[in-house]
Amino acid sequence: MDSGSEGGSLWHKITRFFHGKGTDNVEQAIIEASQEGELHASEGSMMLSILQLDDLQVQDIMTPRTDITAIPAECSVAKAVEAITESGHSRIPIYLDDRDNIVGVIYAKDLLREALTASNHEKPVSQVMRQAFFVPETKNVLELLNEFKTRKTHMAVILDEYGGTSGLVTIEDVLEEIVGEIEDEHDAPKEADIVIVDGDKARLSGRAYLEDINEALKIHLESEEVDTIGGLLSHIAGRLPLPGEEFVLDGVKFLIEEADSKQVHKVLAQSLEPAVGAESQENNSAVA
């Protein structure tokens, strides 16, 4: 079908099946259109994802402060070029004193222009950086997408309630909520936050969410203070746990495998309850 013909674009399909339908039941209209073949499954899924953006805050999709690649304001153009090259990012935040004080953003294209002149290699990036765009953690994701469009910018620095740096959100992060993971040649393969090793063991990222762990391991962990397993174990210990430390929660032993002075990276979870199959086999052996 010609791309310019009736129904040849997603927009034509949207306007056609929404015609005459109330806006109060948009989600149901999308589901019905997908079921009736008016929309491909991928198109319907994308449209539902767009609707769900209005229920998300930027803190739900941001890259946390500890994972941000940032460089100090006194860093030279030459060093900044190295940081851009190693990270694969086209934009990097600039901070003064510490990462809680982001003062600007450096663009790869600006650095390239400066790097073409040898005398500029030692120039501090503070003389080349652009103004940063700041938003609070509670900012609505759909509103942020609109602001990205009107401001013609692709990155926002997320601030917590005290004005410190909480994280970073890019337009790619928002688009991934609509179309799924977007990977390029610079992206390293991502490890799953929860990997089942065998029947009674699982390897967890320190940033794995408690609700996801509960679902995967069929346990019940909860906290009003934190959302992740690394945060929970740190909260229980009253400090950052050390590699080798163990915690027993809800019949599961959590062993800290990797941690540094800033965060827990890897945790091995092992059920202390015998697996159903193993218990049955033990009982059968005892009867025999």
Side-chain angles (χ1 to χ4, degrees):
M1 180 181 291
D2 192 307
S3 60
S5 63
E6 179 73 23
S9 69
L10 181 56
W11 176 250
H12 282 136
K13 293 178 180 179
I14 293 172
T15 55
R16 186 174 70 246
F17 82 79
F18 277 154
H19 181 67
K21 297 180 179 179
T23 56
D24 292 338
N25 203 16
V26 173
E27 183 174 343
Q28 186 59 36
I30 295 173
I31 295 172
E32 290 176 0
S34 298
Q35 293 173 342
E36 294 168 5
E38 295 182 60
L39 284 174
H40 290 302
S42 59
E43 294 171 340
S45 176
M46 189 182 302
M47 292 170 64
L48 289 173
S49 296
I50 293 172
L51 291 179
Q52 291 166 2
L53 288 184
D54 202 34
D55 297 325
L56 289 176
Q57 296 180 341
V58 292
Q59 61 185 341
D60 297 322
I61 68 170
M62 70 181 182
T63 298
R65 178 180 181 275
T66 52
D67 288 348
I68 293 176
T69 298
I71 54 178
E74 65 270 19
C75 182
S76 67
V77 165
K79 291 293 185 181
V81 169
E82 292 180 11
I84 286 274
T85 303
E86 291 175 3
S87 69
H89 300 314
S90 59
R91 300 166 180 81
I92 291 182
I94 307 299
Y95 64 87
L96 186 63
D97 298 329
D98 60 54
R99 293 175 186 234
D100 271 333
N101 187 22
I102 301 294
V103 293
V105 176
I106 189 69
Y107 283 44
K109 60 183 180 181
D110 295 338
L111 284 176
L112 180 61
R113 189 181 302 114
E114 295 291 330
L116 290 175
T117 304
S119 59
N120 291 336
H121 288 188
E122 297 307 313
K123 178 189 292 186
V125 291
S126 57
Q127 297 181 19
V128 187
M129 69 184 184
R130 302 193 189 193
Q131 186 175 1
F133 171 39
F134 299 96
V135 298
E137 291 178 319
T138 53
K139 183 79 173 179
N140 178 273
V141 172
L142 192 55
E143 291 178 3
L144 178 63
L145 182 59
N146 289 327
E147 290 196 35
F148 277 150
K149 180 180 178 181
T150 56
R151 290 173 173 269
K152 298 182 180 179
T153 187
H154 291 182
M155 175 188 290
V157 178
I158 313 305
L159 301 178
D160 61 26
E161 59 182 315
Y162 305 106
T165 302
S166 178
L168 196 70
V169 168
T170 67
I171 195 169
E172 181 178 315
D173 295 323
V174 179
L175 294 178
E176 285 182 340
E177 292 298 315
I178 300 173
V179 302
E181 198 74 19
I182 301 172
E183 294 187 0
D184 60 31
E185 66 274 18
H186 299 295
D187 289 337
K190 293 184 178 179
E191 295 183 21
D193 285 335
I194 303 174
V195 178
I196 304 300
V197 179
D198 55 37
D200 65 344
K201 292 181 183 178
R203 183 158 283 109
L204 314 174
S205 161
R207 224 173 268 112
Y209 286 106
L210 298 180
E211 58 183 299
D212 295 333
I213 295 172
N214 288 338
E215 182 178 351
L217 304 186
K218 309 304 180 189
I219 58 177
H220 185 70
L221 302 178
E222 61 179 359
S223 172
E224 295 182 357
E225 288 80 14
V226 296
D227 298 317
T228 66
I229 186 63
L232 178 62
L233 299 181
S234 298
H235 179 69
I236 292 172
R239 54 176 171 74
L240 276 163
L242 300 173
E245 285 193 70
E246 297 180 353
F247 302 80
V248 176
L249 304 171
D250 201 21
V252 175
K253 179 177 69 176
F254 295 90
L255 169 67
I256 307 296
E257 288 192 317
E258 295 180 24
D260 55 28
S261 60
K262 295 182 178 179
Q263 64 184 121
V264 173
H265 294 287
K266 295 290 181 184
V267 179
L268 182 65
Q270 181 174 8
S271 174
L272 299 179
E273 300 293 332
V276 174
E279 185 177 4
S280 299
Q281 185 176 2
E282 183 179 339
N283 290 337
N284 290 337
S285 299
V287 171

